[in-house]
Every structure is written in structure tokens, then in C-alpha cells.
């Protein structure tokens, strides 16, 4: 294998979702980045700790790659998007209700485009360069949502959109089912995309990380994954600390603390520094 080929295979993005979700999440992501095991994060512009997260990026994490964690599930939208919200509360729909609408053609592409444009614009105003886009609980993989998201991304000149298609392990049926559902949704959503959209998606790296979520042995799984993957791969994690702000929004809480412990562990830090892996941002691949 040539030196150039070897170097190409060693470049891995370790990305933390949910930056800005809560102060505890921000603190956990900061600790992991400073530990040298986290190269990228996706920020939620509509979340309670967004402005704190922006300040942390500028003041303490200037080398962190930052993308938009497009949110269609938590809180209220930035734009007027009636097909995405509950008319009684003005808040986003639950994942189940949003998926039901998307699968039956009741989501307005104009609403999705309007909200994605607004969230990208809100992030651009912070003077943070947007390296990529993914979405909270992978909602951009739903039919009727993917295409307008890609149109918004192209207009904003964002270069990478997560393709959340993971590699299932038949020995773990629960995670395999989740991966199958996501793959089926993604295939349906991308079936009628045009050439420009397909070219954009082709830039996306391979995706791993679903099998890490909620696992008691997340450190061991992460170490095994770092041994397995090669260049052009994103590893998704959700590190953070539990707090009242997070508890009011999301059930995934103490699991985040295990991910912080994994990413800041001596074993993971040493594995990343061994020499065959180079952590990069999406704009450094």
C-alpha cells in the first residue's frame, strides 16, 4: 500500500451530536474535545444552550468542526411551518407523528426548506464555519424531508450531509432493526433525487455509531470500532452530562455520561494517538 493510500485511510471524524442541547451536553463535548478524542460536533440552533455553545466554540474550541444538527423535533421552529408543528402548541411534532406525516405525503417541502434555511442562517450569523449537516434523530432521512434539506444545504454551500446508513451486526437484533428502519427510510427518501443531490450525498463519509448508543460497554465498543474502521468514516457519539435542562427535553441522559467517560479514558486517548488514526473535521477529509 502506498504512503498516500495509507494516509487517506487513517482520517476519521469523531462527531458529537447535540451541541447546544443543554449546558451539561456542552460541558461534556468540551471535555472530550480538549481530551483530543473529538474532532467535530453538530449544533442545535433552537436549543436552550445554543448561545453558550457558540461562545465555547469561539473561546475554547476554535479547532472543532461544527455543523448544523437540524432539529424538527424539540421545541419551536424558527419559521412558520404548519405541516411540521402541533397547532395547539406551536411546537414541533413528536418523531412518531412527524414520521407518519412524512410517510403519507403530509409534510410540506416548502416548510422543510424554510425551516432548514432559517436554522442554517442562524448558525451562519455566529461566524462559525458550517462544515456539515445532520439532524436530530436522523429526521432528514425521512421521505419528503431529505430533498428540501439538500436544496437548502446546496444553497448555503455546505459540503457534507450525513448519510445515516450504518453496518448492522446480526448478533445484535435491536440495533440491527434500527439500522434497517433507517436504511429503508433513507432509500425511500433518496429514490427520486436528482443528479445534484446525489453528487452531494456522494461526498458523505461512511457512517458508524448507532451500535454505540446506550451501551454499558461503550468504551470497549468504541475501541473495537477504531480498530475496524478506515478513512472516510464518521463515528457518531452523544457525550454530555445530565442536568435539569436536558432532563426536560430528552430521555437519553446518563448514557451520555458513559460516553464522556469513554472518550476521555486513557485507553481511547492512547488508541487515537497510536499513529494509524488522524482525527479530522469534515472539511479536512
Amino acid at each position: 500500500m502506498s504512503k498516500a493510500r495509507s494516509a487517506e485511510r487513517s482520517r476519521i471524524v469523531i462527531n458529537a451530536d447535540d451541541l447546544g442541547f443543554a449546558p451539561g451536553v456542552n460541558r461534556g463535548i468540551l471535555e472530550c474535545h480538549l481530551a483530543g478524542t473529538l474532532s467535530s460536533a453538530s449544533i442545535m440552533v433552537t436549543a436552550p444552550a445554543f448561545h453558550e455553545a457558540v461562545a465555547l466554540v469561539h473561546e475554547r474550541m476554535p479547532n472543532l468542526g461544527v455543523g448544523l444538527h437540524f432539529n424538527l423535533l424539540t421545541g419551536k421552529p424558527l419559521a412558520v411551518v404548519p405541516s411540521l408543528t402541533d397547532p395547539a402548541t406551536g411546537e414541533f411534532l413528536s418523531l412518531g407523528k412527524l414520521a407518519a406525516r412524512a410517510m403519507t405525503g403530509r409534510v410540506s417541502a416548502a416548510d422543510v426548506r424554510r425551516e432548514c434555511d432559517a436554522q442554517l442562517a442562524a448558525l451562519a450569523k455566529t461566524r462559525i464555519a458550517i462544515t456539515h449537516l445532520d439532524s436530530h434523530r436522523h429526521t432528514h432521512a425521512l421521505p419528503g424531508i431529505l430533498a428540501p434539506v439538500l436544496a437548502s444545504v446546496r444553497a448555503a454551500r455546505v459540503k457534507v450531509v450525513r448519510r445515516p446508513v450504518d453496518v448492522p451486526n446480526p448478533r445484535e437484533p435491536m440495533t440491527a432493526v434500527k439500522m434497517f428502519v433507517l436504511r429503508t427510510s433513507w432509500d425511500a427518501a433518496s429514490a427520486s433525487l436528482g443528479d445534484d443531490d446525489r453528487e452531494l450525498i456522494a461526498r458523505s463519509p461512511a457512517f458508524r455509531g448507532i451500535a454505540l448508543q446506550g451501551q454499558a460497554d461503550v468504551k470497549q465498543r468504541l475501541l473495537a470500532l477504531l480498530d475496524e474502521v478506515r478513512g472516510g468514516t464518521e463515528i457518531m457519539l452523544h457525550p454530555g452530562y445530565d442536568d435539569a435542562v436536558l432532563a426536560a427535553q430528552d430521555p437519553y441522559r446518563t448514557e451520555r455520561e458513559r460516553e464522556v467517560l469513554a472518550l476521555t479514558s486513557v485507553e481511547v486517548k492512547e488508541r487515537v494517538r497510536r499513529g494509524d488514526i488522524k482525527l479530522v473535521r469534515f472539511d479536512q477529509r
Side-chain angles (χ1 to χ4, degrees), residues 15 24 37 53 56 64 72 122 124 128 134 148 152 158 163 207 219 239 245 263 268 285:
N15 186 83
T37 56
L56 285 172
L64 182 74
L72 292 178
I128 292 175
D134 51 46
S152 182
V158 176
R163 188 173 67 94
F207 172 76
K219 181 175 73 173
V245 178
L263 283 164
V268 171
R285 295 183 305 115

Side-chain angles (χ1 to χ4, degrees), residues 83-251:
S83 72
L84 303 173
T85 55
D86 183 329
T89 65
E91 296 188 346
F92 285 122
L93 301 168
S94 67
L95 177 59
K97 289 181 179 179
L98 177 65
R101 285 194 183 184
M103 293 295 184
T104 54
R106 293 180 290 136
V107 166
S108 164
D111 283 357
V112 176
R113 173 68 191 270
R114 192 178 304 114
E115 183 62 21
C116 195
D117 285 350
Q119 291 188 27
L120 284 166
L123 181 52
K125 286 180 182 178
T126 68
R127 296 177 292 106
I128 292 175
I130 306 172
T131 62
H132 65 284
L133 179 143
D134 51 46
S135 63
H136 192 43
R137 302 189 69 180
H138 310 297
T139 52
H140 73 289
L142 288 167
I145 294 179
L146 178 60
V149 165
L150 293 176
S152 182
V153 163
R154 288 201 315 275
R157 298 184 179 181
V158 176
K159 303 299 185 184
V160 177
V161 174
R162 175 183 286 166
R163 188 173 67 94
V165 178
D166 207 333
V167 180
N169 181 344
R171 294 189 300 272
E172 298 190 345
M174 293 300 292
T175 55
V177 168
K178 182 176 181 180
M179 293 176 196
F180 174 77
V181 170
L182 258 176
R183 177 60 184 261
T184 301
S185 179
W186 179 265
D187 288 347
S190 58
S192 59
L193 295 179
D195 290 342
D196 289 344
D197 288 336
R198 294 186 182 281
E199 182 180 351
L200 175 58
I201 291 171
R203 302 189 195 117
S204 304
F207 172 76
R208 305 297 297 274
I210 290 176
L212 301 176
Q213 290 182 259
Q215 302 296 333
D217 61 343
V218 62
K219 181 175 73 173
Q220 289 72 24
R221 287 171 180 257
L222 177 57
L223 288 168
L225 195 54
L226 289 170
D227 285 340
E228 175 187 342
V229 299
R230 295 296 182 263
T233 299
E234 173 197 1
I235 298 176
M236 173 192 70
L237 285 156
H238 297 79
Y241 289 103
D242 191 14
D243 61 20
V245 178
L246 180 64
Q249 303 177 88
D250 195 68

Side-chain angles (χ1 to χ4, degrees), residues 11 13 39 63-66 129-132 159-160 280-285:
R11 301 170 79 85
V13 179
S39 56
N63 295 319
L64 182 74
V66 178
I130 306 172
T131 62
H132 65 284
K159 303 299 185 184
V160 177
V280 296
R281 306 187 304 255
F282 285 98
D283 59 348
Q284 296 172 327
R285 295 183 305 115

Side-chain angles (χ1 to χ4, degrees), residues 26-37 61 241 260 263-264:
N26 292 347
R27 181 163 62 93
I29 290 173
L30 172 66
E31 288 185 12
C32 296
H33 179 63
L34 295 181
T37 56
M61 299 187 287
Y241 289 103
V260 174
L263 283 164
T264 58

